[in-house]
Structures are given as C-alpha cells and as structure tokens.
Amino acid sequence: MSLRYRSLLPLIIGFALLALTGLGSLWLADRQERSFEAVRHTLEVQKRLGMILSRFQDAETGQRGYLLTGQIAYLEPYEAALAGLGKEFIALDAAIADNPEQLARAKTLNAVSNQRQDILRATIERYRLGDARGAIAIVREGSGKRMMDRLRSVVAAMDRKEQRLLAARGAAADRQARLVKLALLASGIAIVLLALLAIRDARKRLHEAIVARDELGIANERLKSEVAERTSAEGQVRQMQKMESIGQLTGGIAHDFNNMLAIVIGSLDMAQRRFDEAPAKAKAYIDNAIDGARRAAQLTARLLAFSRQQPLEPRAIDTNKLVGGMSELLRRTIGEHIAIETVLAGGLWPAFIDAGQLENAVLNLCVNARDAMPDGGKLTLETNNTHLDERYAAEHDEVTAGQYVVLCITDTGTGMPPHVIERAFDPFYTTKGVGKGTGLGLSQVFGFVKQSGGHIKIYSEPDQGTTVKLYMPRHFGAASTLSDARAGTVEIPRARDGEIVLVVEDEERVRHMSVDALRSLGYTVVQASDGMQALAVLAIQPRVDLLFSDIVMPGMNGRELADTAREQRSTLKVLFTTGYTRNAVVHNGVLDPGVAFISKPFGIDQLAVKVRQVLDGEGDNRRD
C-alpha cells in the first residue's frame, strides 16, 4: 500500500464508522416511529370502542324518552346513534385488521349490536302501532339489558387487550428512544473524531498543495508562453487565409472585368474607326460594347448579392404561381434533353421575398443542374411548408427557428463530394472548365437568401444527384398577385401632358446621360448638381412632377433632399438611384416602405418603365 493511501486509511475508517452510526440511527428512528404508530393505533381502537358504547347509550336514552312521553323528538338521538354505528364498526375493523384475536371479538360485538338494535326497533314499532303495553313488556322482559351487558363485556375485553398492547408498545417505544439517544451520542463522538482526523489530514494536504501550486505556476507560465506562440501562429495563418480569399475574389473580379472592359473598349474603338466608312459594322460593335457593359453590370449585381448589399423589394408571393410561371422559360433555358417536373404543395403559405431575385436564383440553380446532366436527366421543382426547430437552428449558422416555405430543386446529375459542397458558395469557386462558369451563381443565391432572412442547404452525393433547398420566411397574410415580366416585348412608355422631371446628380456625365435619356422619352427635364441647387430649382419652378435623385451626394444626400422637398410639395413623386447604398433608403437589406428605386447602371428601357410606374403611382415599395 502506498504512503498516500496509508494516510487516507484513518479517514476512510472514520467515515465508515460515521456511516454505520448514521444508518443505525436512521434504523432506530424508523423503529421508534413504528412504535409511536402502534400507540396511535391502540388509541384509535379504544376511541372507536368508546364511540360504539356511547352511541348505544344515546339510542337507549332516545328510546326511553319516546316510550315515556310518546314525543317524536326523543327519537332524533336514537336515529342519529344507530345511523352512525355502521361507520364506527367499519373504522374499528380497519383499525384491528392486523389482530385476529380482536377481529373475532369485533365479530361477536357486531352480532350482539345487531340483536340489541332489533330489540330497540321492536319496542318503538309497537309503540307507534298503539301497543304501548306490548312495548313496555319487551323492555321489562330484560332481553335488551342482557344484550347491553353482553355488549359492554365484549367492549371491556377488547379494551383490556388494547391496554396490554399499549403498555407493551409504550415500553418498546421508550427502549427505542433510549437507543436513539445513544446512537446520536455515538454519532457525535464519531463526528468529533472524524473532524480531528480531517484537520490533521487537511494540514498535510495544504502543505502538499502549496508545493503543487508552485510547480503548477511554473508549468502555467510555460503553457501561457506556448499559447501565445500558437495564437500568434494561428493569427498569421488566418491572415494568410483571409488574404488568399481576398486575392481569389479580387483576382476573379479583375479577370472578369478585364474581359468585359476589353469587349467594351475594343468594340467602341472599332466602332469609332468604322463609324464613317461602315456604319452597319460600327453599330454591331456598339451593340457588342453594350452587351459587355451589361455583363459587367450583372457581375456587379452578383457581387452585391453575395455581399448582401443589394436593395431588395420583398413582397408576399405565391411560390407555386412563380414556379408555374417560369415553366416555359426553364424549358427554353434547360433544353429538351432534360425532363422538368413540378410538384406543387397544396395549401402553400405565402413567402416574404423579392420575386424578381427569387426567379434569378431559381434560374441560376436550374442552369447549374443542367450543367450537371450533360447526357440528359430529370429536374424536379418541389414546394412545401416546413418548420425549422430550435435544435436545427442551433446547428446551422444564421438560421432562426420558425416557419418557412421551402423550394427544392433536385437533379439526377453527377452530384458533389463533401469537399465541393463545403466550398460551393465561395465566390469564383467552380468545378466547371475554363470559360464555362464564373463561380458566382451559387454565391449570388446564397447572399440573396441570407439577406432575405432565409436559409439554403445542399444535399448531394457523387453520381446520385443534388438537391438544393431554399427556405424562405413565411408571410402571415395573403400573397400578392405577381405580374409577368416575361410576357413579351411591350412598347417603351413615354411622357404625358408635358410632364417635368428634376434630375439631381453630382456626377456630371451621369447627369447628362440621364437628362438626355429622359428628354428622348418626351419629358421636360431640369437638372441640378446637388441638393441645395435642387431646392433652389424647386423654389422657382412652378411645376415638377418627379424628383429623380441620386442618393450618395456631397452635403445633402438624396433622402434628405426628398424629405425637405416633400415638406414644400407633399404630392411630389420621388425616384431614387445609386450604384451602392447602405443606410439612406435601404435598411437590413430591404428598401424602406414607400421608396421607389432603380439601381445603377440602368438602360433607357428600364428608366422609362420605372419613371412611368412612379408617375402613375405604381412604382413604390409598399408591402402587401
């Protein structure tokens, strides 16, 4: 046995003795409680015997009073006494259930009781029938007295038995009480001895703890030094990873923008050279430059979507109608070699989300599914209601427990291994060949869904296909009607009745472009380079139908300008524009209610439609 265990042996023995003493005290206390219970049991039996005698005496008193006076009032104690006898006998049997000898006496007592009650009833019945002499004769005959004497005799015998039991049980209780006191005294002595042993052992352990503390202090300082070195190394690794991610992102942006700028600059240069000698070719080059610029704008929009900075216009929409309305577009985009199936849930909740951005997200996911099925396959779009509980939310970042509308897009393509799923939402990450994808599609969908307060999840296995689930927040209310923006080409709307637009833009070239575009649409245009100049124009211009203002400007921003202008002209319509905004009209990624907005860059067609909508009272961002 080691020295450490030898030092603990006295404490172990002391605790064992204390435990035995305590258990013994508990056992004795239990025995004492049982003895007290037996005493209470005896007292209960005696109480019931006394109650039986008392009730018979009350019954006899009532009988005599009635026989002597003939008054019914004397029968009330008689009837009450006999009515309570049954309960007393039941309580008595329950109290002596564990004593066969007393049970036998109780049986005899019950029989005698029944005989005595019969005699009492017989005398009263005769008296009621008018036979007073017959009733007195029964009393004088003496059978009632004999029954009563017999009843008292049985009660006395049972009482003597209970007295003997009471004496024996009281003596046992006294003995056990003395034993309990001795056990408590022994426990006290054991506790004192154990405390002395514990103090002695604690002093020894204190010395050992001081020595261990000093050794631990030295080890702790060494560990802190190692932790500091590791933290520094981890920080350097994280910085390297962050710079690598930024490098990958900027490299991808630079690559794609250089390609698009090459198209724009080269096409415009060629158009300039061919403008006089070959106008048709010059127009083709200009069209090519416009296409490159639009692709650059789309890339910027995708980057804003990934960074969750795009201004969203969420509404309560019917996802079933949106998916059904996209069927023809999807068939044209995906191709005939892929079968498209839609499984639309009945009773689907409205989803609160930007319908246009959701269509783009669905189209992106379906294009990815098409690329994963080069030899054909099946694409399934399924809607459903679901609930994400607290446990699921705790296991996934940026997920709030609650009710969602889920849109599942499933393909039978090549699938993805786990390491690809982990990086699927990274910008510019793609497994497609060079020139076959930018790597921004899934990252754009991810940013849009997260900015909308939703959740996205990928389930996939190699060669088993892929399912992407879009969880969209449920809207509690009715869904709004979706207008079909793909319903063919419509005529560009133009100005009516000499409508006047005030254009406010601090960037001169952009302002001139906007002014020229609006004038080409038939609007009368006045312009200002900042907010103060715009207020001055409003002060002298009697009619202005629309304020078309940039948001980010030096001094007074567009929102402040609009608020001030509406104090002067409450019916003034306002349309905002900007290339990027965080707080002026967009909060938490959502346009403020009642705000009309068009993002830069925009084409003349887009500007014409938006301006017409605002002037006609249809272009604000009111929620359904």
Side-chain angles (χ1 to χ4, degrees):
M1 183 180 294
S2 66
L3 181 62
R4 180 181 178 184
Y5 286 107
R6 286 179 185 174
S7 64
L8 289 175
L9 186 59
L11 284 175
I12 294 172
I13 295 174
F15 275 115
L17 291 174
L18 181 59
L20 288 174
T21 305
L23 290 173
S25 299
L26 291 175
W27 180 80
L28 288 173
D30 179 68
R31 297 295 300 176
Q32 187 181 25
E33 179 63 26
R34 292 186 181 183
S35 297
F36 288 151
E37 182 62 31
V39 170
R40 288 192 293 271
H41 175 272
T42 298
L43 295 175
E44 176 67 16
V45 173
Q46 290 178 330
K47 174 185 175 182
R48 294 303 169 187
L49 291 172
M51 287 298 297
I52 289 171
L53 278 179
S54 176
R55 287 188 181 276
F56 267 109
Q57 289 170 357
D58 291 344
E60 287 184 341
T61 299
Q63 176 214 31
R64 293 191 188 101
Y66 179 68
L67 294 180
L68 291 174
T69 64
Q71 296 181 7
I72 298 300
Y74 282 95
L75 290 181
E76 292 180 2
Y78 160 80
E79 291 173 350
L82 294 188
L85 276 175
K87 295 181 180 179
E88 298 297 340
F89 274 106
I90 291 172
L92 177 63
D93 290 342
I96 61 175
D98 59 342
N99 193 327
E101 183 180 351
Q102 291 288 69
L103 282 173
R105 290 192 180 99
K107 186 176 181 181
T108 301
L109 182 64
N110 195 21
V112 175
S113 169
N114 291 335
Q115 293 174 5
R116 179 56 181 146
Q117 290 180 57
D118 291 341
I119 293 172
L120 290 171
R121 291 191 186 96
T123 59
I124 292 172
E125 187 63 26
R126 287 203 175 193
Y127 193 92
R128 282 178 176 172
L129 295 174
D131 188 7
R133 290 184 178 181
I136 298 298
I138 293 174
V139 174
R140 289 177 177 175
E141 187 267 334
S143 58
K145 181 179 183 305
R146 289 193 297 274
M147 290 298 103
M148 198 62 189
D149 291 341
R150 175 62 177 158
L151 190 142
R152 290 191 181 93
S153 174
V154 175
V155 169
M158 294 182 72
D159 187 65
R160 287 194 297 273
K161 176 65 176 177
E162 292 299 325
Q163 288 289 352
R164 290 194 295 273
L165 290 173
L166 180 62
R169 290 165 178 170
D174 290 340
R175 288 194 302 272
Q176 288 163 1
R178 288 193 293 272
L179 289 175
V180 168
K181 291 178 180 178
L182 291 174
L184 292 175
L185 179 60
S187 298
I189 295 172
I191 290 171
V192 172
L193 293 175
L194 185 60
L196 293 175
L197 289 173
I199 292 171
R200 177 186 174 189
D201 184 70
R203 288 177 176 175
K204 183 177 180 181
R205 290 180 177 276
L206 178 61
H207 175 72
E208 294 174 352
I210 293 173
V211 175
R213 181 199 62 188
D214 295 339
E215 295 176 352
L216 182 61
I218 296 172
N220 191 39
E221 290 298 325
R222 185 166 58 249
L223 181 61
K224 286 181 179 179
S225 177
E226 294 176 358
V227 168
E229 293 176 0
R230 180 176 297 179
T231 302
S232 176
E234 290 176 351
Q236 293 175 3
V237 171
R238 282 195 298 270
Q239 184 66 18
M240 291 173 60
Q241 290 174 341
K242 182 169 69 174
M243 295 306 296
E244 181 182 356
S245 299
I246 294 174
Q248 180 181 353
L249 179 60
T250 54
I253 295 172
H255 174 269
D256 283 6
F257 262 111
N258 281 335
N259 286 339
M260 295 167 193
L261 289 174
I263 295 172
V264 174
I265 295 172
S267 297
L268 292 176
D269 185 47
M270 292 299 297
Q272 187 179 33
R273 293 173 182 270
R274 298 290 183 92
F275 191 78
D276 293 328
E277 61 186 42
K281 288 186 177 181
K283 183 178 182 304
Y285 284 126
I286 291 174
D287 291 340
N288 197 32
I290 291 174
D291 182 67
R294 285 175 177 167
R295 289 172 57 190
Q298 290 175 356
L299 176 61
T300 304
R302 289 185 172 188
L303 291 172
L304 286 174
F306 168 71
S307 63
R308 310 184 198 180
Q309 299 297 332
Q310 62 178 338
L312 298 179
E313 298 185 57
R315 294 178 181 270
I317 67 166
D318 185 335
T319 309
N320 283 345
K321 289 184 179 179
L322 183 141
V323 172
M326 292 184 67
S327 298
E328 185 61 30
L329 173 64
L330 292 178
R331 287 187 177 90
R332 292 199 305 266
T333 304
I334 302 303
E336 297 181 356
H337 66 296
I338 295 176
I340 300 177
E341 180 181 359
T342 57
V343 183
L344 306 180
L348 191 70
W349 299 326
F352 190 70
I353 202 160
D354 188 310
Q357 295 298 331
L358 178 59
E359 288 182 343
N360 290 337
V362 172
L363 190 59
N364 267 325
L365 294 174
C366 290
V367 169
N368 281 350
R370 177 200 64 188
D371 295 342
M373 298 183 287
D375 300 325
K378 182 179 180 182
L379 178 65
T380 304
L381 285 79
E382 181 179 2
T383 60
N384 215 330
N385 298 325
T386 191
H387 178 269
L388 299 182
D389 57 20
E390 297 289 349
R391 180 177 179 182
Y392 185 92
E395 294 173 353
H396 295 79
D397 294 336
E398 298 182 289
V399 175
T400 303
Q403 294 178 331
Y404 292 84
V405 178
V406 61
L407 172 59
C408 305
I409 301 175
T410 303
D411 64 64
T412 57
T414 56
M416 292 184 282
H419 71 276
V420 173
I421 295 176
E422 290 179 1
R423 299 193 60 191
F425 299 124
D426 291 353
F428 296 104
Y429 176 78
T430 179
T431 57
K432 300 176 184 178
V434 176
K436 294 185 178 181
T438 63
L440 280 174
L442 281 178
S443 62
Q444 177 187 6
V445 175
F446 177 84
F448 157 65
V449 172
K450 290 296 184 181
Q451 185 179 346
S452 302
H455 175 52
I456 183 169
K457 186 72 174 179
I458 297 178
Y459 300 89
S460 183
E461 292 183 13
D463 302 322
Q464 299 298 320
T466 299
T467 296
V468 180
K469 291 188 175 183
L470 301 180
Y471 295 86
M472 298 167 285
R474 175 189 178 182
H475 173 76
F476 291 89
S480 60
T481 303
L482 292 174
S483 60
D484 191 353
R486 302 175 298 273
T489 303
V490 295
E491 184 179 354
I492 298 176
R494 300 178 63 83
R496 303 173 190 165
D497 302 326
E499 291 168 323
I500 300 176
V501 179
L502 171 57
V503 176
V504 186
E505 170 66 61
D506 62 309
E507 180 63 39
E508 183 178 3
R509 293 183 180 181
V510 177
R511 184 173 69 253
H512 289 165
M513 185 275 295
S514 299
V515 169
D516 292 341
L518 289 168
R519 284 175 177 168
S520 70
L521 295 170
Y523 295 97
T524 300
V525 183
V526 291
Q527 56 183 302
S529 59
D530 56 39
M532 297 305 297
Q533 187 178 358
L535 291 176
V537 171
L538 285 172
I540 62 174
Q541 181 69 31
R543 175 182 176 183
V544 173
D545 299 288
L546 174 68
L547 172 64
F548 180 38
S549 175
D550 188 19
I551 294 175
V552 181
M553 296 186 297
M556 180 185 296
N557 65 34
R559 186 56 184 265
E560 294 169 343
L561 168 62
D563 292 341
T564 304
R566 278 177 168 166
E567 290 178 1
Q568 302 174 9
R569 302 187 184 188
S570 59
T571 59
L572 180 65
K573 301 293 181 66
V574 179
L575 174 61
F576 292 108
T577 184
T578 188
Y580 171 79
T581 181
R582 180 182 293 271
N583 295 321
V585 297
V586 178
H587 292 86
N588 298 320
V590 178
L591 283 172
D592 293 342
V595 169
F597 177 83
I598 182 172
S599 61
K600 296 178 182 178
F602 50 80
I604 295 179
D605 295 355
Q606 294 171 296
L607 180 62
V609 171
K610 195 67 179 181
V611 168
R612 189 72 263 156
Q613 287 178 343
V614 176
L615 286 171
D616 293 342
E618 301 174 357
D620 62 1
N621 186 40
R622 301 184 191 279
R623 294 185 179 180
D624 298 318

